[in-house]
Amino acid sequence: MLRAGAECGGLRLFLRSDHELGQGGGAAAVTFGRVAPPPPGALDRLRHRLHDIDWTPDLGARIGSADWWRGAVSCVVLVGAACWLLPRVPAVAGATPAPLSGEAWEEARTQSIMPLAWGATTGRRLAAGDLVRPLAETPERPQVELTATVGAGDDFSAVLQRAGVAGAEARAVERLVARSVSPGSLKPGTQLDLTLGRRTEKTAPRPLEALSFRARFDLNILVNRTGEALVMTPQPIAVDNTPLRIRGLVGQSLYRSARAAGAPAKAVEAYIRAIASRVSIGRDVSSDNVFDMVIEQARAATGEVQLGKVLYAGIERDGRKVQLVRWGEDGGAWYDASGTGERRGQMAMPVDGRMTSNYGARIHPILGIRRMHYGLDIGAPYGAPIRAAMDGAVAFAGRNGGYGNFVKLAHGNGYATGYGHMSRIAVRPGTRVSQGQVIGYVGSTGLSTGPHLHYELWRNGAPVNPRSISYSEVQQLAGAELRRFRAYVASLLGARTGGAN
């Protein structure tokens, strides 16, 4: 048998007979161009063998094996060698300071850092000199300046008494303040700045020297002592009520674009609800359309700004304009620029969600019996806001058997709506609510299998399907009122364009 192969530039021929292959003999090698290296010696073989041995195996694995024992021996040898090679240094004796006593100890104790329980003091103490005269009592401050905050449901005179004003004087100040503003109308969080004078004796309260606070957005109140009497001085604050107009491109999101332009969140929500009553926000409004809104604005001379409700809501799309103006008493209603007001369509849905059970007979999910379901079940996330379907008054708000937390609204003309299974109620009986106002939050109180709203509608006391009711009311302004309306619209559209500060 003949094989030829190239190796490192030389040609090596291997001649092996069948007889040699059969006997397992070695092959005769003939090398052309270089001499074959000699076979490795015993020392080389030993060195290679020692090189292949792992002297430091993992002692946490294969415990008890030959490799583990070899590693343990290596560890013991290395530790012993390290201990044997440690330097032998004789001990050095340190000087022991003499213990302190007397004045040296007191001086060190006042400047040391250690707990009081171990005898530390709080600083250097100096002995009294000849010029030091001991005082029989601490001298009283001639005046004390402080602030007090009006809390929710707080009585004005009680706030003054908590600050240290005598009861009779606090009630006298309350009567003075009532000449300009009702003390009960002060908003929670109103800050009172007080100055109390010197007391006639230690047990007597300090007399009130001065009081100042912001009673309203447009009014400051000052109370000062003049001789023995207190004098109240109202300080009106000039307020500019020019409305604020905000315009901009709709872009990718009408809400985000309006917020970025400076409109507050509540104003944007009211604007979108108004526009959505005339056009479909998702289908009819595109990114190149222009939104336009006018918002109530009060700018005080002291720099504060308050924004109110939306007065004008408009949108320009493809050369066509939708212009809605709020007009009328009690918050007003939306009219288009021609003076036509309209409320149309079915009642507003009280919560955003999906219908889980319709009006009609059904198998009760908890009782397991067939009975009439006098409303709609709308599934929604726990805590989602529930809004009034129509304007009305709160006839009931509280716990109502299987309905759980329940609110009933009376809407006039014999109509009433009910909202059940709330997690929390946000209105009180007897209060007025407007369509879209939050009256509570979705929950699962009463007989309920999960968070949802049970919504009912009654007409003249009888339950009806809420989906079967719609209303339409159209009002057209005319005569002098129409002229006033058009002048009002012109003034709104003449407002300067800007952003809220």
Side-chain angles (χ1 to χ4, degrees):
M1 178 178 177
L2 178 63
R3 292 192 301 171
E7 181 179 351
C8 299
L11 181 64
R12 177 175 295 179
L13 297 179
F14 299 91
L15 302 177
R16 183 175 300 173
S17 64
D18 295 338
H19 175 72
E20 290 171 338
L21 290 174
Q23 295 181 358
V30 180
T31 304
F32 298 91
R34 64 188 177 99
V35 179
L43 183 59
D44 292 336
R45 290 195 298 272
L46 178 62
R47 183 166 54 251
H48 288 139
R49 184 174 180 182
L50 294 176
H51 181 269
D52 294 336
I53 296 176
D54 184 8
W55 295 100
T56 58
D58 183 6
L59 295 180
R62 301 178 62 191
I63 298 176
S65 63
D67 289 342
W68 185 87
W69 283 109
R70 183 171 59 251
V73 171
S74 300
C75 181
V76 172
V77 171
L78 291 176
V79 171
C83 294
W84 182 70
L85 294 175
L86 284 175
R88 303 297 188 269
V89 179
V92 179
T96 302
L100 298 177
S101 61
E103 294 182 358
W105 163 243
E106 292 295 333
E107 182 75 11
R109 188 173 64 163
T110 58
Q111 301 182 42
S112 63
I113 301 176
M114 62 180 178
L116 294 176
W118 291 358
T121 55
T122 57
R124 183 184 297 272
R125 299 179 182 179
L126 299 178
D130 297 335
L131 299 179
V132 175
R133 183 179 61 184
L135 297 176
E137 60 182 9
T138 304
E140 183 174 307
R141 295 167 57 186
Q143 285 187 338
V144 176
E145 295 182 354
L146 49 87
T147 60
T149 304
V150 177
D154 248 341
D155 183 73
F156 185 78
S157 61
V159 177
L160 296 180
Q161 292 181 60
R162 287 201 303 267
V165 180
E169 194 168 61
R171 289 187 289 272
V173 173
E174 184 175 22
R175 289 191 295 271
L176 287 175
V177 171
R179 298 176 183 177
S180 295
V181 63
S182 172
S185 66
L186 297 181
K187 295 181 178 180
T190 300
Q191 181 172 295
L192 311 180
D193 297 322
L194 301 98
T195 301
L196 304 181
R198 188 187 297 274
R199 293 180 291 190
T200 56
E201 55 184 15
K202 289 284 187 179
T203 58
R206 289 180 176 269
L208 179 65
E209 295 292 335
L211 167 67
S212 65
F213 63 95
R214 186 75 167 264
R216 290 195 309 264
F217 187 71
D218 60 347
L219 180 64
N220 270 338
I221 295 292
L222 296 181
V223 178
N224 291 294
R225 182 174 295 279
T226 304
E228 295 297 326
L230 291 171
V231 179
M232 188 273 297
T233 306
Q235 293 184 331
I237 301 173
V239 176
D240 179 13
N241 292 309
T242 303
L244 173 67
R245 187 177 185 183
I246 299 177
R247 288 172 54 89
L249 288 175
V250 172
Q252 295 182 349
S253 170
L254 174 58
Y255 179 86
R256 292 180 180 177
S257 298
R259 292 285 288 127
K266 290 185 178 179
V268 178
E269 293 174 2
Y271 167 83
I272 292 177
R273 284 198 298 268
I275 293 297
S277 66
R278 302 301 173 92
V279 299
S280 173
I281 299 295
R283 184 180 67 250
D284 299 333
V285 177
S286 58
S287 61
D288 59 348
N289 294 165
V290 177
F291 66 85
D292 191 359
M293 69 177 72
V294 179
I295 308 172
E296 281 184 335
Q297 177 183 235
R299 185 182 295 271
T302 51
E304 297 85 2
V305 176
Q306 282 186 348
L307 296 178
K309 60 179 178 289
V310 178
L311 303 176
Y312 170 84
I315 191 165
E316 301 174 11
R317 53 192 188 94
D318 302 328
R320 294 173 296 173
K321 293 183 179 180
V322 174
Q323 294 179 308
L324 301 177
V325 181
R326 191 185 295 274
W327 179 260
E329 300 177 353
D330 298 330
W334 288 107
Y335 289 75
D336 61 24
S338 65
T340 302
E342 182 179 11
R343 300 175 67 188
R344 59 185 180 181
Q346 289 186 323
M347 282 190 261
M349 290 298 291
V351 69
D352 293 331
R354 59 184 183 87
M355 203 68 61
T356 59
S357 183
N358 287 311
Y359 181 92
R362 66 166 188 176
I363 301 297
H364 195 280
I366 295 179
L367 302 179
I369 60 176
R370 187 173 182 83
R371 60 187 298 182
M372 186 65 182
H373 185 232
Y374 292 107
L376 304 177
D377 284 348
I378 307 172
Y382 189 92
I386 300 171
R387 305 180 186 275
M390 296 174 63
D391 298 344
V394 181
F396 177 85
R399 196 79 179 186
N400 187 14
Y403 290 105
N405 292 330
F406 183 77
V407 170
K408 183 177 181 179
L409 303 180
H411 304 289
N413 297 325
Y415 286 100
T417 53
Y419 311 80
H421 306 308
M422 293 183 177
S423 62
R424 182 163 62 91
I425 297 173
V427 291
R428 295 179 180 178
T431 58
R432 296 286 303 178
V433 295
S434 57
Q435 185 180 35
Q437 179 178 337
V438 175
I439 60 174
Y441 301 90
V442 171
S444 186
T445 55
L447 289 178
S448 171
T449 58
H452 73 285
L453 169 67
H454 175 80
Y455 172 51
E456 288 194 22
L457 173 66
W458 297 276
R459 181 169 55 192
N460 298 324
V464 295
N465 188 348
R467 288 187 166 183
S468 66
I469 300 299
S470 63
Y471 61 89
S472 179
E473 180 183 348
V474 179
Q475 294 181 343
Q476 177 65 51
L477 302 179
E481 187 176 12
L482 179 59
R483 289 192 293 272
R484 291 195 304 270
F485 174 78
R486 288 175 176 173
Y488 177 67
V489 173
S491 66
L492 291 180
L493 297 182
R496 68 182 182 88
T497 303
N501 294 328

